[in-house]
Amino acid sequence: RKEVEQDPGPFNVPEGATVAFNCTYSNSASQSFFWYRQDCRKEPKLLMSVYSSGNEDGRFTAQLNRASQYISLLIRDSKLSDSATYLCVVMGGGSNYKLTFGKGTLLTVNP
Amino acid sequence: DGGITQSPKYLFRKEGQNVTLSCEQNLNHDAMYWYRQDPGQGLRLIYYSQIVNDFQKGDIAEGYSVSREKKESFPLTVTSAQKNPTAFYLCASRSPQVEAFFGQGTRLTVV
């Protein structure tokens, strides 16, 4: 099983749609989880950290399910500017700083 | 301004040459990382370092070497043993409780 597996996509949605990204991880000791956004030919940038209790930032909601080793990102009322690749990131547990990325899911929001 | 700087932005290498990619950060971060990204693919971990004078192999370390003599610097050498080095190389840094920040990347092309 891969360390981090992500929905392959791509997703094409109309403006205003709700879209969900899912990611599973294999190491139950993993401590920290993130969603990054990457625009074409640019470096990834942090979108959200993912907390055990779930967290929301405007139109974006991140969830963590430790029992199922699963994280998710929900985008509501999608905008054209949300078009990008979304990457889930998992950090190893304890003193292990290893950061592992999923392969990313390309989202295209259409007018 | 605090940040992480990669240089050069574009690099061309002849077959059989070693080349070194620079990564410098002034964020006082403990951990630094090197990733490789191929077109349409996610980020794959080459090497990471949690502390000065220590580094760990990632998932695709063969054909690469690193050093961590200073906290601020984590150069990556792409050796002639790396058979398919053309890719986008990303350096990142982070400290505990802080997300990873990325440099703008180096595009390496073998000519």
Side-chain angles (χ1 to χ4, degrees):
Chain A
R1 183 179 174 185
K2 290 184 179 177
E3 287 186 69
V4 179
E5 291 203 65
Q6 191 172 346
D7 286 343
F11 292 172
N12 283 278
V13 302
E15 271 188 289
T18 296
V19 59
F21 302 95
N22 301 307
C23 190
T24 58
Y25 59 95
S26 61
N27 183 357
S28 60
S30 297
Q31 293 277 337
S32 301
F33 309 89
F34 308 91
W35 283 100
Y36 274 71
R37 169 192 169 129
Q38 186 177 24
D39 293 295
C40 188
R41 299 180 70 82
K42 299 284 190 182
E43 75 276 20
K45 293 188 177 175
L46 179 71
L47 179 65
M48 295 178 76
S49 299
V50 186
Y51 303 119
S52 295
S53 54
N55 47 301
E56 188 173 309
D57 182 4
R59 299 181 294 108
F60 299 85
T61 301
Q63 298 275 354
L64 167 64
N65 184 324
R66 285 192 184 273
S68 301
Q69 295 179 204
Y70 168 94
I71 63 174
S72 65
L73 174 70
L74 188 74
I75 304 176
R76 291 180 299 278
D77 188 23
S78 53
K79 312 291 185 191
L80 296 177
S81 57
D82 293 333
S83 296
T85 296
Y86 291 83
L87 300 152
C88 66
V89 185
V90 175
M91 193 181 85
S95 59
N96 182 354
Y97 278 38
K98 184 179 181 184
L99 270 178
T100 304
F101 282 73
K103 285 193 171 182
T105 305
L106 176 63
L107 171 66
T108 302
V109 181
N110 301 302
Chain B
D1 282 10
I4 180 165
T5 302
Q6 287 186 243
S7 62
K9 192 170 181 180
Y10 298 96
L11 185 58
F12 297 89
R13 190 194 96 168
K14 291 183 180 178
E15 297 265 3
Q17 271 186 340
N18 291 357
V19 289
T20 298
L21 283 59
S22 170
C23 180
E24 304 277 334
Q25 54 99 1
N26 60 4
L27 300 165
N28 199 33
H29 286 170
D30 297 312
M32 296 187 74
Y33 305 82
W34 274 106
Y35 292 90
R36 167 184 173 138
Q37 188 173 37
D38 293 283
Q41 302 295 314
L43 279 69
R44 293 186 290 169
L45 182 63
I46 304 172
Y47 270 98
Y48 67 107
S49 168
Q50 298 182 186
I51 196 169
V52 174
N53 293 323
D54 184 54
F55 47 82
Q56 310 294 329
K57 289 183 179 180
D59 302 313
I60 56 164
E62 187 174 349
Y64 299 98
S65 65
V66 293
S67 62
R68 187 88 186 275
E69 297 175 2
K70 300 185 299 181
K71 189 175 186 178
E72 302 80 20
S73 179
F74 191 41
L76 173 74
T77 297
V78 184
T79 74
S80 57
Q82 172 47 243
K83 297 306 177 190
N84 186 22
T86 295
F88 185 39
Y89 290 87
L90 287 157
C91 179
S93 70
R94 75 182 300 267
S95 276
Q97 313 307 322
V98 176
E99 74 271 18
F101 290 84
F102 282 84
Q104 292 189 314
T106 294
R107 295 194 181 275
L108 173 63
T109 303
V110 173
V111 296

